[in-house]
Amino acid sequence: MTENSAKDGAYNYAYLDEQTKRMIRRAILKAVAVPGYQVPFGGREMPLPYGWGTGGIQVTAAIIGRDDTLKVIDQGADDTTNAVSIRRFFARVAEVATTTRTEEATVIQTRHRVPETPLSEGQILVFQVPIPEPLRMLEPRETETRTLHALSEYGVMQVSLYESIARHGRISKAYNYPVMVNGRYIMSPSPIPKFDNPKLDRSPALQLYGAGREKRIYAVPPYTPVKSLDFDDHPFEIETWEQCCELCGSKESFLDEMIVDDDGKRLFVCSDSDYCERRRAPAEAAE
Amino acid sequence: MSDLRTLAPGLADPSHDAQQLFRAILDAASHPGRIVSLPSAPAGPGALSSAATAYLLTLADRDTPVWLASDFDRPEVRNFLRFHAGAPIVAARAEASFGVVAAGTPQPFDGFNLGTDAYPDRSATVLIEVPDLQSGPMRHWRGPGIADRTSVGIAGLGDAFWDDWAANHALFPCGVDLVFTAGTELCALPRSIAVEV
C-alpha cells in the first residue's frame, strides 16, 4: 500500500511522548479493571480538531506498535476522509501496516460503527467517543453524574426511556443507545446505531473507548456482558429493513439510505464498505 | 548514592520495548488468569523478578509513587527505579500507585489505596512476586475477560490470601488490582474477578 510512507523522524514513535503514553496506558488498565467506568486522563492537543477522533487516536497511539495492522473506519467505511487521514497518520508516525480487511486487523479504530464481520480474540476495537457520559443529556453537572455512577443510581435513565415510550409508543433512541456493562455501570456505546449494540455483548475482542474533548477512557474487556437497557414489556429491538443492499444483496447488514438523483430516487447500501466489497467480489469473479 | 557502574540496565529500546511490554500486560489484564510471557524483559535488580521489573519500567514514572516490601526495599532496587523510571519510592502503602510484595507476606494488599466510589480508578496496583504461576492449587476465576470460568494455580498463596481477595472483590468498583509475577511471566487479577475457593 502506498499509504505506508517512511517513518517521520520529526516525531516520537506514534506521535505522543513516552510520558503521555504511560499515563494513557495506566488509564487503559484501570478502565479494563472497572468495565464501563469512565477513567479521566490528561488528554493532549492532537493535530486535528475535537470531533475528528482525538480520543480514539490517543488510545490507538498508546497501544499501537510496529507489529500491528491497523484498520480505520468512519461510519463503517474505510474510504471516507476521517478514516483515510487517521490511517495515513499512523502509517506515517507509527510505521504500521494498514488494511481494510476486518479479520486482518489487530487494531481497529472506529467512528460510529462496529464491523459486520465478527471480531476475534486478540483484536482491539478503539471507539471515537464524542460524549462519554450517558447521563449527560439528563443531568448536565459532572459532579452529579459522577455521584449517580458511584451510587449506581440509574433511575433517571429508566425514566427517560419510559417517557420515550409514553410519547412515541416505543424507545425512540436509534443510536448511542445506553447499555449496562457487567451489571454495574451504565455506559455510552458511542454513537453506534443500536443495530450494533448486540455485537458488544460478550465480544471476544477488547473494546476501548476514547473521548478527547471530555478526556475520558473506558473499556469493555472480552466476554463481558453488555445489556441494552429496556423494559420487560418493551424489549430491546434492533432496526430492520424491508430492502436489501443494492450492491451486495445483504439482508443482514446495517444499511445506509442514499439519494441518488434530483428526483429523489433512493437506494440502500451496506454501511460497512469492507463487508460489502467482500460479498460482491466472488459474485463479480463468477460473471 | 547511586553508582552507575553497578546500576542494572533498563529497557534496551525504551519506546518500542515499553509498547511491546504494555501490549503483553494489556493482554494479561483483559484476560485474567492468562499466563503471559513478557518479550525482552530485562533482568531485575536485587530480588525483583524480570516480570515485575518490566511492569514497573513500562508503567511507573514520576507521577506514580512505588512502595516496596522489605524483601525488595534495597538500594539497588530503589536506585534502579529512581534512575530508569524516575518513580518516587514511598514509605507508606497508602501513598503508592504501585506496590511490590512477596507471596507469603501477611495481608499483602492491606493498606493500599482502594480508590473511592466516585474515583475507583485511583486505586493501587499491587505486584505479588510468587514462586510460579502454575503449580499451586487450582482455583476457579470468573468475571470480565473470562469466557465462562478459568482455572488458575498460582503458587505460594494460602487460604488466608483468597479470603483477603474475596473481601477486596466485594468492594467493587473500589479495590486494588493484583498482578502475579514470576520470572519473565505474569498473570493479572483485576478487582472485578471473583475467585472460588
Side-chain angles (χ1 to χ4, degrees), chain A residues 114-135:
Chain A
V114 177
E116 306 288 356
T117 309
L119 300 177
S120 56
E121 194 169 298
Q123 288 183 307
I124 301 178
L125 191 56
V126 178
F127 292 79
Q128 303 172 196
V129 183
I131 301 173
E133 177 51 71
L135 305 170

Side-chain angles (χ1 to χ4, degrees), chain B:
Chain B
M1 281 301 291
S2 167
D3 186 340
L4 283 176
R5 283 170 301 182
T6 59
L7 195 69
L11 300 176
D13 184 358
S15 181
H16 298 292
D17 285 359
Q19 187 274 333
Q20 294 258 302
L21 288 166
F22 173 70
R23 284 293 283 279
I25 291 164
L26 180 62
D27 184 36
S30 52
H31 298 94
R34 176 177 290 181
I35 295 168
V36 173
S37 186
L38 298 181
S40 62
L48 209 58
S49 71
S50 255
T53 307
Y55 193 97
L56 291 174
L57 289 180
T58 304
L59 292 161
D61 57 30
R62 61 176 186 243
D63 294 334
T64 60
V66 175
W67 183 88
L68 299 169
S70 55
D71 316 75
F72 310 103
D73 194 9
R74 300 272 186 271
E76 64 268 28
V77 180
R78 286 199 299 266
N79 290 337
F80 180 89
L81 291 176
R82 284 198 189 112
F83 182 84
H84 290 297
I89 311 294
V90 291
R93 284 185 172 191
E95 293 168 16
S97 300
F98 296 106
V100 186
V101 302
T105 312
Q107 288 154 343
F109 42 89
D110 202 38
F112 283 104
N113 189 350
L114 300 171
T116 62
D117 285 330
Y119 290 97
D121 56 298
R122 294 181 181 174
S123 68
T125 302
V126 184
L127 309 182
I128 305 207
E129 295 267 38
V130 296
D132 70 79
L133 303 170
Q134 287 109 353
S135 72
M138 284 294 174
R139 294 179 193 273
H140 300 306
W141 295 14
R142 283 178 195 277
I146 300 171
D148 176 26
R149 67 174 192 183
T150 186
S151 300
V152 190
I154 309 285
L157 306 172
D159 288 344
F161 178 92
W162 295 111
D163 291 343
D164 289 348
W165 177 255
N168 183 68
H169 170 66
L171 296 173
F172 190 88
C174 296
V176 297
D177 301 311
L178 302 187
V179 179
F180 299 106
T181 51
T184 58
E185 294 178 333
L186 60 77
C187 172
L189 178 58
R191 68 195 89 168
S192 55
I193 301 299
V195 177
E196 294 166 18
V197 176

Side-chain angles (χ1 to χ4, degrees), chain A residues 256-273:
Chain A
D256 285 338
E257 185 177 348
M258 317 275 272
I259 308 289
V260 290
D261 61 21
D262 290 345
D263 302 328
K265 184 170 181 288
R266 303 176 309 164
L267 58 83
F268 289 80
V269 294
C270 290
S271 142
D272 186 331
S273 59

